[in-house]
Amino acid sequence: MRHRVVVTGLGVISPIGNSVPLFFSSLLQGKSGIEEIKAFDTTGYSTRIGGEIKDFNADGILSEKEKRRFSLFIQYGLAATQEAIIDSGISLSQEDLRRIGVLVGSGIGGLDVLEREHSVLLKDGSKRVSPFLIPMMIIDMASGVISIKFGFSGPNLAIATACATSTHTIGEAFRLIQYGSADVMVCGGCEGAITPLGLAGFCAARALSTRNNEPQKASRPFDGERDGFVMSNGAGILILENESHAKKRGVNIYAEIVGYGMSADAYHITAPKEDGSGASLCMENALADANISIDKISCINAHGTSTKLNDKAETLAIKNVFGDYSYKIPITANKSMTGHLLGGAGAIEAIASCLTIKNNIIPPTINYEYKDPDCDLDYVPNIAKEAKIDYVLSNSFGFGGHNASIVFKRYE
């Protein structure tokens, strides 16, 4: 027997707001969070813009010693988790914490700590390197620290599938509850990769927009003049819950998860498969898992990175799956405002998908100005659209050809 799984709590740290209400309000207003990078000197970089986190304060979550030890991605993950737990209304003192698990991933992990300690090594020698280097930077430590902070001793895992990371964490957490391994799962992703080396690496790969003079127009998914994605930091955390457990508590339910699909492009380390077949298979698997026909999908939250190849391939993949119906589906690309949170992207887009269903309004894809004949679907250009939304398909695709899709449904 498979249990039904519902979403009961949400938490966000993002370039457009450090809470769920502010995040979703900014999305609906079409507010960009992309600015000139302030964390370090970007002179000499081909890209000097990004989606940094503003006004973040970990007071009340971490001690001063912990703030010095924990990498940024862990701090963002903890802050988003705290908001999600409060939002869910779970009283930890009344729960069996052995039945609550954590599945939080990251695309890159603690690059900030790695860079800092490498500088220490070069300057002062190996004996000066922090004994906390490894635990501060490894990707699984976000899940580990969250479990330690809140006492969750159920299943504990981390996933690293590049930009598909947090869609995979949500999907796998969904499975764990479906099959009875946990009653509640804390899941999502976090990222803090805007560092000198992180930015240099993506610049070298020529994956980033170089629209430095117009940062708020730089992320422009599906637009004819898009020129690459914009890196961002932040975290998204969801509380998933066995439906009967949530009903017993009598809490607010944002949406139900009904389908999860995965696939691999098996093609290239960075480029998507040109015919879109890898992404198509992923969406088909999610729809089959949900056991619904294609015409049930009333909105797609696209991966939509704003790179030439990705947006074209995703558009083709949607057409492969939905045929003529693809022209009737509104498609929103949240990265046009948030930038690309890499391992955290799928989670904040999942949160936006739940709120789209809950509020019957679709966030816009901003900076859509010039048509591309290869991208000719309804991308909800520039202005939010009100509509009855019962099912949202949310896509994430990562370097290495990792693909993940989730189907969210209005809870009834």
Side-chain angles (χ1 to χ4, degrees):
M1 172 188 168
R2 292 188 185 186
H3 299 283
R4 292 177 68 180
V5 180
V6 294
V7 181
T8 57
L10 307 173
V12 167
I13 299 294
S14 82
I16 58 171
N18 296 336
S19 69
V20 170
L22 188 54
F23 163 73
F24 196 59
S25 170
S26 297
L27 281 184
L28 296 183
Q29 293 172 39
K31 180 180 177 182
S32 169
I34 310 305
E35 298 179 353
E36 185 175 339
I37 291 173
K38 298 180 176 63
F40 55 92
D41 183 2
T42 59
T43 302
Y45 286 75
S46 57
T47 293
R48 301 186 294 278
I49 56 176
E52 293 182 301
I53 302 302
K54 295 95 175 171
D55 304 320
F56 177 75
N57 191 330
D59 289 350
I61 308 169
L62 295 171
S63 67
E64 291 303 316
K65 183 186 289 186
E66 288 173 324
K67 283 189 222 175
R68 290 194 296 274
R69 286 181 178 174
F70 291 148
S71 178
L72 273 179
F73 84 105
I74 296 174
Q75 297 190 33
Y76 295 150
L78 274 171
T81 298
Q82 179 161 277
E83 183 188 15
I85 289 173
I86 293 171
D87 185 43
S88 73
I90 288 180
S91 174
L92 300 186
S93 63
Q94 297 178 15
E95 293 289 334
D96 180 356
L97 301 186
R98 298 171 301 176
R99 297 289 300 167
I100 301 179
V102 185
L103 214 170
V104 174
S106 176
I108 295 180
L111 199 53
D112 53 335
V113 172
L114 178 64
E115 290 180 34
R116 186 184 68 213
E117 295 303 316
H118 186 250
S119 296
V120 171
L121 172 68
L122 296 180
K123 182 182 176 188
D124 301 321
S126 62
K127 293 183 179 177
R128 301 298 298 173
V129 171
S130 170
F132 295 100
L133 164 62
I134 302 303
M136 284 191 296
M137 61 161 287
I138 53 179
I139 282 175
D140 69 309
M141 199 50 64
S143 253
V145 170
I146 290 168
S147 70
I148 293 166
K149 278 286 177 185
F150 296 97
F152 303 139
S153 54
N156 195 285
L157 299 166
I159 286 174
T161 49
C163 306
T165 291
S166 50
T167 299
H168 278 127
T169 66
I170 297 165
E172 294 302 317
F174 164 61
R175 289 274 189 261
L176 286 168
I177 296 174
Q178 267 193 325
Y179 288 99
S181 299
D183 295 325
V184 179
M185 287 296 299
V186 178
C187 59
C190 42
E191 206 71 80
I194 301 181
T195 68
L197 186 59
L199 185 67
F202 279 111
C203 283
R206 299 184 178 180
L208 301 179
S209 170
T210 56
R211 197 181 288 259
N212 297 306
N213 296 328
E214 294 183 298
Q216 298 193 343
K217 287 193 169 186
S219 187
R220 42 197 314 118
F222 306 107
D223 178 80
E225 295 197 356
R226 64 193 185 277
D227 71 331
F229 75 83
V230 179
M231 285 180 73
S232 290
N233 286 344
I237 297 292
L238 294 85
I239 305 297
L240 306 190
E241 197 164 346
N242 182 316
E243 183 215 19
S244 62
H245 189 274
K247 286 178 71 175
K248 189 176 178 182
R249 295 197 304 117
V251 295
N252 172 55
I253 292 175
Y254 287 99
E256 180 175 3
I257 300 181
V258 294
Y260 168 48
M262 294 184 285
S263 73
D265 275 2
Y267 174 66
H268 190 272
I269 60 171
T270 57
K273 202 168 185 178
E274 293 177 5
D275 64 2
S277 57
S280 298
L281 178 60
C282 183
M283 287 186 267
E284 288 166 354
N285 289 340
L287 293 169
D289 189 43
N291 193 28
I292 58 173
S293 57
I294 58 172
D295 60 353
K296 291 290 186 184
I297 296 297
S298 34
C299 176
I300 295 174
N301 193 309
H303 185 55
T305 57
S306 181
T307 64
K308 287 284 184 187
L309 293 177
N310 184 86
D311 292 356
K312 178 181 176 180
E314 185 170 13
T315 297
L316 187 55
I318 291 170
K319 292 179 183 178
N320 291 343
V321 174
F322 293 93
D324 291 342
Y325 182 61
S326 60
Y327 291 90
K328 298 179 180 179
I329 309 172
I331 299 166
T332 179
N334 301 163
K335 292 183 182 73
S336 60
M337 292 163 278
T338 64
H340 194 343
L341 273 69
L342 310 178
I348 66 167
E349 289 155 13
I351 289 168
S353 298
C354 293
L355 295 171
T356 293
I357 291 171
K358 193 75 174 176
N359 295 283
N360 287 314
I361 186 165
I362 306 166
T365 301
I366 69 166
N367 298 322
Y368 186 87
E369 298 179 301
Y370 303 98
K371 291 186 178 178
D372 178 343
D374 291 324
C375 299
D376 57 351
L377 302 178
D378 174 11
Y379 304 107
V380 192
N382 302 312
I383 298 174
K385 177 188 288 186
E386 293 187 15
K388 177 80 181 314
I389 304 297
D390 290 327
Y391 289 87
V392 175
L393 176 69
S394 187
N395 288 332
S396 293
F397 312 126
F399 279 2
H402 305 292
N403 305 313
S405 297
I406 296 176
V407 179
F408 295 93
K409 176 182 178 290
R410 177 181 300 281
Y411 178 71
E412 296 172 332

